[in-house]
Amino acid sequence: AQRVTQPEKLLSVFKGAPVELKCNYSYSGSPELFWYVQYSRQRLQLLLRHISRESIKGFTADLNKGETSFHLKKPFAQEEDSAMYYCALRQTGANNLFFGTGTRLTVIP
Amino acid sequence: GAVVSQHPSWVICKSGTSVKIECRSLDFQATTMFWYRQFPKQSLMLMATSNEGSKATYEQGVEKDKFLINHASLTLSTLTVTSAHPEDSSFYICSVTGETDTQYFGPGTRLTVL
């Protein structure tokens, strides 16, 4: 069975500091990993996906199959990054997503 | 991306009544719609997946007779919580996909059962 773990419920960093939100997964196949973000009073929206290998809003995430991790990183946090972040996994050939419990990031001015 | 709306945004009902929640894709042909439930301080849990014109596929542990899903068109899916009880109080969120596999989420509906 698949599982997505986000060990930190809350994470606070100062503006300008690096930030890393951790995500580990377990899945026997070859998964597709995503990061979704939910800003205050807004709906969930896709931030990035591992197959795109792109940087969105300064965030990057690399899939490490050896460590089964997909940590989200940003070198310099901004106040507008404060939000709830969810890591999600999609099984090979499937449509639906399995979400982690989320990490609330607070960037302190 | 797609614009997805849900109605109502918040509903309070008495125990034993049924509640219908609508999910609309406003500018997007949604071939597949998903319904999630989110309890306070917990993650989104997939309840069911529905494809337009066919029966929904429910996740293990989700009662199909209690959570009725109708995906009648490419722009509308409804979730009816039948004979609601306080333990059904939750945040219900729908999402849609179309030609691409990106999921677009609705704003959610908060259900409170008294």
Side-chain angles (χ1 to χ4, degrees):
Chain A
Q2 67 293 318
R3 186 169 187 163
V4 179
T5 304
Q6 292 179 252
E8 304 141 327
K9 287 190 185 301
L10 302 170
L11 181 63
S12 296
V13 300
F14 285 101
K15 178 182 173 181
V19 61
E20 180 180 68
L21 292 91
K22 291 184 168 51
C23 173
N24 288 89
Y25 68 91
S26 63
Y27 176 55
S28 56
S30 184
E32 192 172 354
L33 276 298
F34 304 80
W35 275 99
Y36 279 80
V37 61
Q38 187 169 28
Y39 300 103
S40 179
R41 299 176 191 247
Q42 294 188 29
R43 67 193 64 197
L44 205 60
Q45 57 185 287
L46 178 65
L47 180 61
L48 52 81
R49 53 200 299 177
H50 90 270
I51 60 172
S52 300
R53 304 183 69 83
E54 58 192 347
S55 173
I56 304 293
K57 299 184 179 182
F59 284 97
T60 58
D62 291 317
L63 179 61
N64 186 323
K65 292 187 177 181
E67 295 182 359
T68 58
S69 68
F70 188 56
H71 303 328
L72 183 68
K73 301 177 184 178
K74 184 170 182 175
F76 308 104
Q78 302 299 314
E79 289 178 65
E80 56 265 28
D81 296 328
S82 295
M84 193 75 179
Y85 291 81
Y86 292 94
C87 182
L89 175 151
R90 184 163 66 199
Q91 296 171 306
T92 308
N95 261 341
N96 52 297
L97 295 168
F98 293 93
F99 285 87
T101 50
T103 298
R104 181 170 297 283
L105 173 66
T106 301
V107 180
I108 305 165
Chain B
V3 177
V4 181
S5 70
Q6 284 184 237
H7 177 80
S9 56
W10 192 11
V11 56
I12 301 173
C13 70
K14 290 183 179 180
S15 185
T17 59
S18 295
V19 174
K20 181 185 283 189
I21 302 170
E22 290 186 351
C23 174
R24 288 184 184 273
S25 175
L26 301 181
D27 58 350
F28 189 77
Q29 303 280 296
T31 52
T32 305
M33 287 185 167
F34 305 87
W35 285 97
Y36 295 85
R37 181 168 52 184
Q38 185 177 30
F39 292 107
K41 300 188 179 182
Q42 294 188 30
S43 186
L44 285 80
M45 298 295 294
L46 180 68
M47 299 174 67
T49 303
S50 73
N51 293 298
E52 185 261 338
S54 60
K55 290 185 178 180
T57 302
Y58 289 80
E59 293 298 303
Q60 194 171 10
V62 178
E63 300 174 56
K64 64 176 75 173
D65 294 331
K66 181 168 184 61
F67 298 99
L68 302 177
I69 292 172
N70 186 305
H71 190 167
S73 75
L74 287 172
T75 58
L76 174 65
S77 175
T78 60
L79 167 68
T80 301
V81 183
T82 61
S83 187
H85 288 95
E87 57 266 29
D88 299 323
S89 297
S90 187
F91 199 55
Y92 292 87
I93 305 169
C94 73
S95 70
V96 308
T97 60
E99 291 184 0
T100 69
D101 58 4
T102 300
Q103 285 195 31
Y104 299 97
F105 286 81
T109 296
R110 184 164 302 285
L111 170 64
T112 301
V113 185
L114 302 176

